């Protein structure tokens, strides 16, 4: 039987409805939830992303401020600017837009953001809280993956999951969040692919998460019957956006599957907004 398609847009819509109410509640208490974005240079891709971010914030009543810097800005200038945003009580969430020009060390700059204002949940302190099983502001995509899995309504305890991809902001934190729910979790990466054992791992997965960035890397026929499949990948193929999983075949085997687009991406944006609201609450304590 064909899988149920997990509707990321609908799930994101519900999260945003809740956030609108929370933002109104905070306003009544004199707290303004906001997102301050730092953009360096004029990369057109980042520009598109920033405008979409601004629209998403405005739609739910979250204040959005964009701070633009020339592409030759120094590490010190940005460090000082982040320090000022950290001090500013009117700023609740901060995001440093990637990619950055080569003279800048993004990881160090992200680490300078006050963990309570880290809208993307990527600072070492916030990653550490994920390791401890006490996420404060967790990485948005990993949280989106958990939200999508939870939307299916299955008991996670004791399930077998496979995460394909071990990046710092997606694969690794997703695996940690799953472990925290007592899901037995295997993590695959490029070396698994090179060894040729990826199909074996994938075929064991009751919950499969793929975050690689290679179109149709995971063949539909590898997918276990009845699996929940979360496809994080975003790839442009012949002008169309596709995921990392061979969707048409996989959907005949899976019980639930996310589409690309319309799956993880929509919920990731909602999680960024949720982190900003959470950040405002953390600072008001
Ligand atoms: P990354 O490039 O940092 O990491 C890629 C991972 O894939 C690595 O762990 C690598 O070892 C692994 N890999 C590469 N080739 C492989 C193979 N043949 N077999 C098995 N593993 C292999 O990627 P990332 O930043 O985690 O992003 C992954 C994908 O997810 C990209 O397409 C990105 O655009 C997308 N993404 C989507 C969202 C969203 O909101 N939907 C958010 C973040 C990233």
């Amino acid at each position: 039987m064909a899988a149920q398609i997990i509707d990321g847009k609908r799930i994101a819509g519900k999260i945003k409805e809740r956030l609108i109410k929370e933002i109104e509640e905070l306003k009544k208490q004199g707290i303004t939830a906001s997102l301050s974005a730092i953009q360096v240079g004029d990369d057109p891709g980042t520009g598109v992303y920033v405008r979409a971010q601004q629209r998403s914030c405005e739609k739910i009543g979250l204040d959005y401020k964009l701070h633009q810097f020339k592409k030759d800005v120094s590490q010190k200038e940005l460090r000082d600017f982040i320090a000022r945003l950290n001090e500013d009580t009117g700023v609740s969430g901060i995001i440093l837009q990637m990619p950055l020009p080569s003279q800048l060390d993004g990881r160090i700059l992200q680490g300078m953001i006050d963990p309570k204002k880290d809208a993307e949940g990527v600072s070492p302190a916030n990653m550490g809280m994920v390791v401890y099983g006490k996420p404060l502001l967790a990485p948005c995509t990993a949280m989106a993956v958990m939200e999508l899995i939870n939307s299916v309504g299955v008991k996670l305890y004791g399930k077998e999951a496979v995460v394909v991809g071990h990046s710092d902001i997606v694969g690794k934190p997703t695996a940690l969040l799953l472990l925290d729910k007592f899901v037995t979790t295997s993590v695959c990466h490029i070396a698994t692919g090179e060894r040729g054992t990826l199909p074996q791992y994938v075929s064991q997965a009751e919950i499969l998460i793929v975050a690689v960035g290679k179109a149709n890397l995971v063949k539909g026929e590898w997918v276990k019957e009845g699996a929940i499949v979360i496809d994080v990948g975003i790839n442009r193929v012949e002008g169309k956006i596709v995921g990392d999983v061979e969707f048409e075949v996989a959907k005949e085997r899976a019980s639930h599957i996310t589409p690309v687009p319309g799956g993880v991406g929509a919920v990731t944006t909602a999680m960024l907004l949720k982190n900003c609201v959470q950040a405002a609450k953390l600072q008001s304590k």
Side-chain angles (χ1 to χ4, degrees):
M1 209 169 74
Q4 271 186 40
I5 308 299
I6 306 176
D7 186 345
K9 282 189 190 158
R10 192 183 59 83
I11 294 167
K14 279 190 166 177
I15 296 167
K16 287 180 195 168
E17 275 171 28
R18 283 201 298 272
L19 292 177
I20 290 172
K21 291 200 185 101
E22 287 182 36
I23 290 168
E24 280 168 5
E25 275 307 310
L26 286 171
K27 273 194 183 138
K28 282 184 201 154
Q29 298 165 37
I31 301 160
T32 305
S34 72
L35 176 61
S36 289
I38 303 171
Q39 183 187 1
V40 180
D42 51 8
D43 173 62
T46 310
V48 171
Y49 186 60
V50 161
R51 283 191 292 281
Q53 212 171 62
Q54 180 163 16
R55 278 197 302 277
S56 300
C57 287
E58 285 168 359
K59 270 190 194 156
I60 64 160
L62 197 75
D63 273 13
Y64 185 84
K65 287 188 197 79
L66 177 62
H67 304 277
Q68 288 173 301
F69 289 85
K70 294 214 171 83
K71 64 173 185 291
D72 59 356
V73 64
S74 69
Q75 180 92 358
K76 182 175 182 324
E77 274 175 87
L78 277 184
R79 233 175 38 209
D80 292 347
F81 185 71
I82 290 171
R84 283 214 299 282
L85 292 182
N86 284 344
E87 290 298 314
D88 187 340
T89 52
V91 171
S92 42
I94 303 171
I95 180 171
L96 177 63
Q97 306 292 350
M98 299 287 174
L100 291 173
S102 56
Q103 81 276 12
L104 300 172
D105 186 329
R107 192 53 61 82
I108 288 183
L109 290 168
Q110 278 177 328
M112 300 270 320
I113 297 173
D114 180 341
K116 287 185 179 167
K117 296 192 176 192
D118 173 22
E120 287 189 292
V122 291
S123 68
N126 280 321
M127 291 288 191
M129 294 311 279
V130 174
V131 174
Y132 292 152
K134 295 190 176 4
L136 195 66
L137 299 172
C140 302
T141 310
M143 284 205 300
V145 169
M146 294 307 289
E147 192 78 26
L148 289 156
I149 295 170
N150 286 330
S151 77
V152 171
V154 293
K155 193 173 125 204
L156 293 182
Y157 191 94
K159 287 271 185 306
E160 303 260 346
V162 171
V163 180
V164 186
H166 79 317
S167 69
D168 293 344
I169 60 160
V170 186
K172 285 184 199 167
T174 300
L176 290 167
L177 292 175
L178 286 164
L179 283 175
D180 220 41
K181 299 289 174 202
F182 294 91
V183 175
T184 305
T185 308
S186 307
V187 182
C188 301
H189 40 62
I190 182 78
T192 324
E194 285 171 1
R195 193 182 159 107
T197 45
L198 191 59
Q200 277 150 258
Y201 279 96
V202 168
S203 66
Q204 300 293 318
E206 293 166 306
I207 303 172
L208 174 68
I209 296 104
V210 189
V212 172
K214 291 184 179 163
N216 299 323
L217 171 78
V218 169
K219 303 298 165 218
E221 65 189 28
W222 302 351
V223 171
K224 188 179 173 73
E225 288 282 351
I228 298 168
V229 179
I230 310 292
D231 190 351
V232 184
I234 301 173
N235 310 285
R236 190 174 285 277
V237 176
E238 293 166 3
K240 272 178 68 181
I241 301 290
V242 299
D244 291 344
V245 178
E246 199 185 20
F247 182 81
E248 289 305 324
V249 186
K251 84 173 193 316
E252 297 305 319
R253 299 177 63 83
S255 64
H256 299 79
I257 188 167
T258 56
V260 180
V264 179
V267 183
T268 298
T269 307
M271 288 298 154
L272 176 72
L273 305 173
K274 188 175 173 187
N275 270 351
C276 292
V277 175
Q278 174 70 5
K281 288 183 192 168
L282 286 171
Q283 288 150 57
S284 69
K285 279 181 186 157

